[in-house]
């Protein structure tokens, strides 16, 4: 039996004695901080609903037009910047313009849409960029539109029928802004502007290719 001293408690189990040492101060301070952080986290995200939870972050990442119009669009504690998911890219038309509503509590967001986008987009003809567009299409679009653009969940891209208008500008806007109500998400947060141009140019090359097993026509017939 070891000689008793103030650092050893007066009980043991199977020959093992417990020391009564003080915890390191850095550990205690970290422990106390974690308690305070947990309380603030619960109030911020769950009790007052200020911060975006995962569901809101997902919807915001998939659709840049998604906004939960409430206090969550403000700044944490009045000075920390609002959180954005990792794929959010600030700048250009992807930067929401925030405007305070009456009372300064709720916030509204004005975003550019296909209806307000008046840019005339031109298709690229460079072989390397068209190949890049084909790769982007296969990686992101083929799941809904088919590997050859024959259609599937989404419409056939090879016929002369168009749901949202033909031509480069209309195709770019469909890719850029999407049609969430019809299952077409916006890609402007996932693809760079030049990638959107490349994949839209590739889509135009699919018209009239007559792939096997094409989906039935949808939309308005627009002759070449």
């Amino acid at each position: 039996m070891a000689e008793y001293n103030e650092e050893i408690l007066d009980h043991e189990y199977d020959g093992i004695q417990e020391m009564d040492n003080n915890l390191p101060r850095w550990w205690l301070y970290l422990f106390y901080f974690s308690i305070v952080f947990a309380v603030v986290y619960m109030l911020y995200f769950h009790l007052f609903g200020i911060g975006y939870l995962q569901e809101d972050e997902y919807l915001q990442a998939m659709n840049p037009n998604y906004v939960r119009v409430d206090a969550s669009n403000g700044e944490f504690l009045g000075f920390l910047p609002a959180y954005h998911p990792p794929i959010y890219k600030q700048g250009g038309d992807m930067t929401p313009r925030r405007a305070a509503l009456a009372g300064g509590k709720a916030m509204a967001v004005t975003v550019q849409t296909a209806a307000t986008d008046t840019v005339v987009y031109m298709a690229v003809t460079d072989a390397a960029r068209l190949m890049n567009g084909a790769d982007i299409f296969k990686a992101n679009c083929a799941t809904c539109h088919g590997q050859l653009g024959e259609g599937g969940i989404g419409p056939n891209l090879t016929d002369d029928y168009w749901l949202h208008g033909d031509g480069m500008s209309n195709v770019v806007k469909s890719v850029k802004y999407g049609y969430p109500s019809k299952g077409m998400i916006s890609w402007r947060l996932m693809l760079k502007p030049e990638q959107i141009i490349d994949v839209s140019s590739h889509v135009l090359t699919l018209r009239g290719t007559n792939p096997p097993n094409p989906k039935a026509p949808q939309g308005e017939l627009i002759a070449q």
Side-chain angles (χ1 to χ4, degrees):
M1 176 71 67
E3 183 179 355
Y4 177 80
N5 59 60
E6 293 181 354
E7 291 185 348
I8 301 178
L9 300 180
D10 59 352
H11 63 82
E12 66 177 71
Y13 179 79
D14 197 20
I16 300 174
Q17 294 178 296
E18 182 179 354
M19 303 290 288
D20 188 22
N21 293 328
N22 293 327
L23 293 170
R25 288 189 178 275
W26 67 265
W27 192 97
L28 287 174
Y29 293 151
L30 185 61
F31 177 68
Y32 297 147
F33 173 80
S34 67
I35 295 175
V36 175
F37 180 86
V39 172
V40 174
Y41 184 94
M42 181 184 67
L43 295 176
Y44 183 65
F45 285 101
H46 296 285
L47 186 59
F48 297 129
I50 299 174
Y52 275 174
L53 292 173
Q54 288 183 337
E55 181 179 359
D56 290 303
E57 290 175 9
Y58 172 78
L59 294 173
Q60 188 183 48
M62 292 295 99
N63 177 17
N65 298 326
Y66 171 79
V67 178
R68 196 179 71 189
V69 185
D70 56 21
S72 65
N73 293 305
E75 295 180 336
F76 179 39
L77 301 180
F79 64 91
L80 295 179
Y83 171 79
H84 295 294
I87 64 173
Y88 179 87
K89 296 179 181 178
Q90 189 174 8
D93 60 4
M94 290 183 285
T95 304
R97 293 177 294 160
R98 301 181 181 277
L101 297 180
K105 295 181 180 180
M107 304 292 289
V109 173
T110 302
V111 296
Q112 188 179 25
T113 65
T116 60
D117 188 343
T118 59
V119 176
V120 177
Y121 297 94
M122 302 299 294
V124 297
T125 57
D126 179 74
R129 293 194 63 177
L130 287 174
M131 182 64 68
N132 181 54
D135 292 339
I136 295 171
F137 182 89
K138 291 178 181 177
N140 300 285
C141 312
T143 301
C144 292
H145 293 286
Q147 291 291 327
L148 302 176
E150 70 274 13
I153 299 174
N156 182 352
L157 301 177
T158 67
D159 58 23
D160 292 330
Y161 290 79
W162 297 82
L163 288 169
H164 307 292
D166 68 337
M168 183 62 178
S169 293
N170 285 322
V171 174
V172 168
K173 292 175 184 179
S174 295
V175 176
K176 189 176 182 181
Y177 302 101
Y179 294 92
S181 62
K182 298 181 180 180
M184 173 67 178
I185 67 171
S186 167
W187 288 94
R188 61 177 171 169
L189 293 184
M190 282 74 80
L191 298 177
K192 297 178 181 179
E194 59 269 24
Q195 291 178 312
I196 293 178
I197 296 297
D198 290 355
V199 72
S200 299
S201 300
H202 170 71
V203 167
L204 293 182
T205 67
L206 298 175
R207 187 175 184 180
T209 54
N210 299 317
N213 302 315
K215 187 176 181 180
Q218 294 175 277
E220 180 182 356
L221 174 61
I222 300 179
Q224 291 183 325

